[in-house]
Amino acid sequence: EDQVTQSPEALRLQEGESSSLNCSYTVSGLRGLFWYRQDPGKGPEFLFTLYSAGEEKEKERLKATLTKKESFLHITAPKPEDSATYLCAVHLLSSGSARQLTFGSGTQLTVLP
Amino acid sequence: DAGVIQSPRHEVTEMGQEVTLRCKPISGHNSLFWYRQTMMRGLELLIYFNNNVPIDDSGMPEDRFSAKMPNASFSTLKIQPSEPRDSAVYFCASSLRGDIQYFGAGTRLSVL
């Protein structure tokens, strides 16, 4: 069964303390992997999409990487405004619903000042 | 662009009542998705439309749920009759090329 697992479930960092969030997937065929940020009371906001192993994308303090089995979201010198839930989603080649995204449960990040 | 617009933002209703959630996708997008988010089950796809046609409704929990997209700029998700276990945040998302989905702010539904 296709699965998307995110870890840790929650992460507390001090401002400036770099870390990484993990998204591991066991799928039969990956069309793309997506990272979203969700703030309380709001909808998920698109951050990155990665399509092939070895690909990397960067945006401000965030950098997303992809291997054949997992993706990492690296946060460098985070600030309190980076506090949010980060969601990972996969778009499957084998899915009969060609446009369906399967989401992980998310990592709730808190950055303390 | 104003992004995906959902209404109402909050809905409180009593068990057995009909609930209608509304969504206006981003202009020009040809795919529309309805999701439900709960603490227990996370973000789940309910149904999606391509060019106003329902493509996959396998995520719709039961016959009490129905969705329509009468034109490219409007969609509804209806629950009739509503039950307390339907309480959740419902999101609508739209997409142009079928990959990157842009989400609305959601409707928080409470069924008492």
Side-chain angles (χ1 to χ4, degrees):
Chain A
E1 181 182 340
D2 296 326
Q3 283 193 327
V4 181
T5 304
Q6 291 190 245
S7 63
E9 289 186 9
L11 181 63
R12 291 167 66 92
L13 299 174
Q14 290 295 135
E15 184 172 1
E17 180 185 3
S18 302
S19 188
S20 296
L21 312 182
N22 178 263
C23 172
S24 63
Y25 55 91
T26 53
V27 298
S28 53
L30 183 71
R31 183 189 292 267
L33 186 140
F34 301 80
W35 283 98
Y36 284 82
R37 167 189 172 132
Q38 186 174 22
D39 292 293
K42 296 187 177 181
E45 176 187 349
F46 171 74
L47 292 173
F48 304 108
T49 181
L50 303 164
Y51 294 103
S52 56
E55 189 174 358
E56 299 182 350
K57 295 274 181 73
E58 285 189 70
K59 179 180 179 180
E60 296 181 353
R61 295 176 293 282
L62 300 177
K63 178 180 176 180
T65 61
L66 180 66
T67 72
K68 289 184 178 180
K69 294 183 178 180
E70 59 192 348
S71 176
F72 291 95
L73 184 64
H74 307 278
I75 303 176
T76 301
K79 298 181 177 181
E81 53 261 42
D82 294 323
S83 298
T85 295
Y86 291 85
L87 297 166
C88 164
V90 297
H91 188 191
L92 305 178
L93 280 167
S94 62
S95 174
S97 305
R99 296 165 188 258
Q100 181 173 339
L101 286 180
T102 300
F103 280 85
S105 56
T107 293
Q108 186 175 356
L109 174 66
T110 303
V111 182
L112 304 171
Chain B
D1 197 311
V4 176
I5 299 173
Q6 292 187 244
S7 64
R9 289 297 316 277
H10 303 276
E11 177 78 41
V12 180
T13 190
E14 293 187 347
M15 182 174 62
Q17 296 298 305
E18 177 179 295
V19 175
T20 299
L21 311 181
R22 297 171 175 80
C23 175
K24 176 179 169 57
I26 293 172
S27 178
H29 282 192
N30 61 350
S31 296
L32 183 139
F33 307 80
W34 282 102
Y35 289 87
R36 179 172 66 177
Q37 187 175 42
T38 61
M39 288 294 293
M40 289 295 296
R41 299 176 66 87
L43 200 59
E44 301 175 286
L45 179 67
L46 299 177
I47 185 172
Y48 85 87
F49 295 83
N50 190 38
N51 294 322
N52 311 338
V53 176
I55 302 299
D56 185 353
D57 65 355
S58 59
M60 296 285 259
E62 49 196 275
D63 292 345
R64 297 184 297 106
F65 286 68
S66 63
K68 294 182 179 180
M69 192 166 186
N71 57 63
S73 59
F74 184 66
S75 177
T76 60
L77 178 67
K78 185 176 294 185
I79 308 173
Q80 166 62 18
S82 58
E83 296 182 3
R85 60 190 167 128
D86 302 330
S87 297
V89 181
Y90 291 80
F91 289 103
C92 174
S94 70
S95 171
L96 176 59
R97 294 190 299 270
D99 51 4
I100 300 173
Q101 296 180 19
Y102 296 90
F103 285 76
T107 295
R108 181 173 296 277
L109 173 65
S110 298
V111 184
L112 306 177

